[in-house]
Amino acid sequence: MTAVVAAVAFWLAAWGLNVALARSRWRKARAVRIAVPVIFGLAVLALWQGLVRGLEVSPVILPAPTDIARTFVTSTDVLWQDFVQTVLKGALSGYLIGCGVAFVTAIAIDRSAFLTAGLLPIGNFVAALPIVGIAPILVSWFGFDWQSKAAVVVVMVFFPVLVNVVQGLKETEAMQRDLMRTYAASYWQTMVKLRLPAAMPFVFNGLKIATTLALIGAIVAEYFGSPIRGMGFRISTGVGRLAIDLVWAEIAVAALVGTAFYGIVAMIEKLVTFWHPSQRVG
Amino acid sequence: MHRALPVLAVLAVLTAIWYLGAWRMNTPWALAQAERAGVELSAGELFTETMRQERPRLPAPHQVAAELWKTTGEMALRGRAFSKRSLIYHGAITLGATLTGFALGVALGILGAVAITYSRVAEMSLMPWAIVSQTIPIVALAPMIIVLSNAVGIEGRTVPKAIISAYLCYFPVLVGMVKGLNSPSASQLDLLKTYNASGRDSFFKLRLPASMPYLFTSLKVAIAAALVGTIVGELPTGAISGLGARILIGDQFGTPLAIWAALFAAAILAGVLVTVIGGVQALVLKRMGMAR
């Protein structure tokens, strides 16, 4: 019982600290903006630890964060193998192919107003569909290894990226395009120097949405058959044989990878679209 | 009409590509069958042969349509709309979990948005985690959520599925509502101050009404996300009812037609849900004098 009390006390203290920080005159400082969510996260972990230990929850149901951390450290080789299989081979290759194809398709149909008008509503609709359901079909077409996972990812990221690129290419104003005309700029010059840069905020919006979809696709596809490695494989079999701490370690990896993937794309976005109002500091 | 024409044209092209794909992908099997039977197929016969296989690699569109009709309309006509073989029954299961998760997610999103709008601590501690939560592939958690909710003693699968779809759909609502609740201009807020309006009044009479366009835009994204969540929740967990489970079972029993029919049923369900929310949006915004 003391563990529960201690955890709740820690939680309250952390929340109090956050309240104090948020009201202090340093609240605009970068360090504080980072510290507050970190403290909140630690408090949640402490609460989890305290409740699991204090209420003696069986590790088969919910292991404590320290147990998960121990498993994480002792089974890095398994986790690394799964990471390579699912993230590098399945998700990343599918992501690159899917986004690349979507980008090229968007530029290819850009010259035809008819095709754009036809594809945009369809793309918007398809982007909202539960496309993950296609996973078993693609697994039966492309086999159990990472190729089928990459195929699922390609299909999943294609439409959100396509829709965003097409939308982004519409972003320039008539005035700006007229200016390019007065410079006697060709179609491709206008494309490269005006329309693509103007489309970048939209493109990156699509790319960021696609990062999460890529991981979802790669993991779900493994539930339908995979070689004996991969995060989805480990999770589905781990639940079956009650290796719950390993499952949570995989979930931790998935969370870290998802956040890092998104973070990297967001960082590239910052470098590319530094001129856009949404990137202004202050 | 001039807006529908391009869409229809593209749809026609896609259907043609699909038929082409079905013909190409089913050819090897049709040829193998003909060889075993010792018959020579002309090109025309080969084409029709690829269009009517029972377990094709890629079913032709009309086969999927026929399967869809067989498992919905035809069963309904025979008065067996809710038999376990009917997609209406499975669609209803999925719809139930989706709507539960949607309600849960929207409530969470709105509450979170109100907390973030009114409390700086909440904004600083919650907002970064809300963003991080969306970069985590929830499907990794799906089997765990089902184990956990079973351990806590929750019967059935509606609740865990609803939790997954709530997780996917609260975020757009949260972001949209934070934007919406902060959309009144400083001068509008000042005006309420000169009226000596309480915080409650300014919330219910200014901020909340002003956020409605944002809310509905987010709701359309959220309902689609909720459906995706439910189907993902049904896929890996050995569920036996629901559209996702139909896909899973179709995979295990090697019946591609069932998978495709379930996929299209899910697509139709998504379309109907988004359209319904769009209709409510138009109605509400018109009544509030906000229609654009």
Side-chain angles (χ1 to χ4, degrees), chain A residues 27-270:
Chain A
R27 62 167 181 259
K28 292 262 159 66
R30 205 179 150 76
V32 172
R33 293 219 73 105
I34 295 172
V36 169
V38 169
I39 293 171
F40 181 78
L42 286 178
V44 170
L45 281 183
L47 195 64
W48 177 353
Q49 179 83 21
L51 288 180
V52 168
R53 282 279 179 274
L55 302 177
E56 288 171 359
V57 178
S58 154
V60 175
I61 296 170
L62 186 64
T66 48
D67 297 340
I68 298 169
R70 197 176 311 121
T71 313
F72 192 102
V73 174
T74 53
S75 47
T76 36
D77 49 335
V78 174
L79 294 176
W80 173 253
Q81 192 191 8
D82 295 346
F83 169 79
V84 170
Q85 172 73 17
T86 305
V87 178
L88 297 187
K89 287 188 183 164
L92 200 59
S93 58
Y95 180 81
L96 292 177
I97 299 172
C99 294
V101 173
F103 195 80
V104 172
T105 312
I107 291 180
I109 64 168
D110 168 69
R111 282 201 158 183
S112 155
F114 186 79
L115 271 183
T116 316
L119 262 180
L120 202 55
I122 294 176
N124 262 324
F125 178 63
V126 176
L129 295 181
I131 302 184
V132 278
I134 209 167
I137 296 167
L138 292 180
V139 170
S140 76
W141 285 358
F142 293 100
F144 279 177
D145 210 351
W146 62 270
Q147 289 86 346
S148 61
K149 282 60 189 180
V152 175
V153 175
V154 168
V155 179
M156 279 184 77
V157 301
F158 180 78
F159 284 100
V161 176
L162 178 77
V163 167
N164 273 289
V165 178
V166 170
Q167 197 83 48
L169 287 175
K170 288 182 172 173
E171 266 312 281
T172 49
E173 286 162 27
M175 195 73 108
Q176 298 168 319
R177 287 195 300 274
D178 285 351
L179 182 65
M180 292 307 275
R181 266 183 95 89
T182 62
Y183 293 158
S186 70
Y187 171 81
W188 285 108
Q189 281 172 327
T190 313
M191 181 59 109
V192 172
K193 301 213 160 132
L194 171 66
R195 297 182 59 210
L196 276 182
M200 278 307 145
F202 283 82
V203 174
F204 274 99
N205 186 31
L207 291 182
K208 283 195 283 188
I209 296 171
T211 57
T212 325
L213 290 176
L215 283 180
I216 293 185
I219 293 177
V220 169
E222 286 183 359
Y223 294 143
F224 293 98
S226 81
I228 49 165
R229 55 183 181 275
M231 293 159 77
F233 168 79
R234 202 74 61 193
I235 289 169
S236 57
T237 53
V239 170
R241 59 190 186 91
L242 298 180
I244 303 296
D245 45 352
L246 187 59
V247 173
W248 278 100
E250 290 282 0
I251 292 172
V253 173
L256 287 176
V257 170
T259 313
F261 198 0
Y262 186 92
I264 290 169
V265 175
M267 215 169 64
I268 300 174
E269 175 184 26
K270 234 178 196 152

Side-chain angles (χ1 to χ4, degrees), chain B residues 71-84:
Chain B
T71 46
T72 53
E74 204 179 303
M75 300 205 81
L77 287 184
R78 281 190 286 142
R80 295 181 53 216
F82 288 91
S83 111
K84 290 206 168 158

Side-chain angles (χ1 to χ4, degrees), chain B residues 153-242:
Chain B
I154 296 169
E155 286 291 313
R157 294 185 179 273
T158 309
V159 175
K161 283 193 287 191
I163 292 175
I164 297 166
S165 54
Y167 182 98
L168 280 185
C169 79
Y170 87 95
F171 185 71
V173 178
L174 178 77
V175 173
M177 279 305 275
V178 167
K179 235 184 220 167
L181 290 174
N182 285 314
S183 64
S185 65
S187 61
Q188 291 171 322
L189 288 167
D190 282 350
L191 181 66
L192 282 199
K193 240 188 195 129
T194 64
Y195 293 160
N196 194 22
S198 65
R200 240 182 91 145
D201 279 339
S202 73
F203 178 77
F204 281 108
K205 297 195 169 146
L206 176 58
R207 283 184 190 267
L208 197 60
S211 70
M212 281 305 130
Y214 295 85
L215 177 66
F216 277 105
T217 311
S218 317
L219 286 185
K220 278 197 264 185
V221 180
I223 191 83
L227 183 64
V228 173
T230 307
I231 290 189
V232 164
E234 286 167 348
L235 278 179
T237 50
I240 44 166
S241 48

Side-chain angles (χ1 to χ4, degrees), chain A residues 37 114 141 212 223 248 258-259, chain B residues 6 57 129 134-135 139 144 147 236:
Chain A
F114 186 79
W141 285 358
T212 325
Y223 294 143
W248 278 100
T259 313
Chain B
R57 263 163 86 75
W129 287 110
Q134 294 308 298
T135 66
V139 286
M144 285 313 303
V147 168

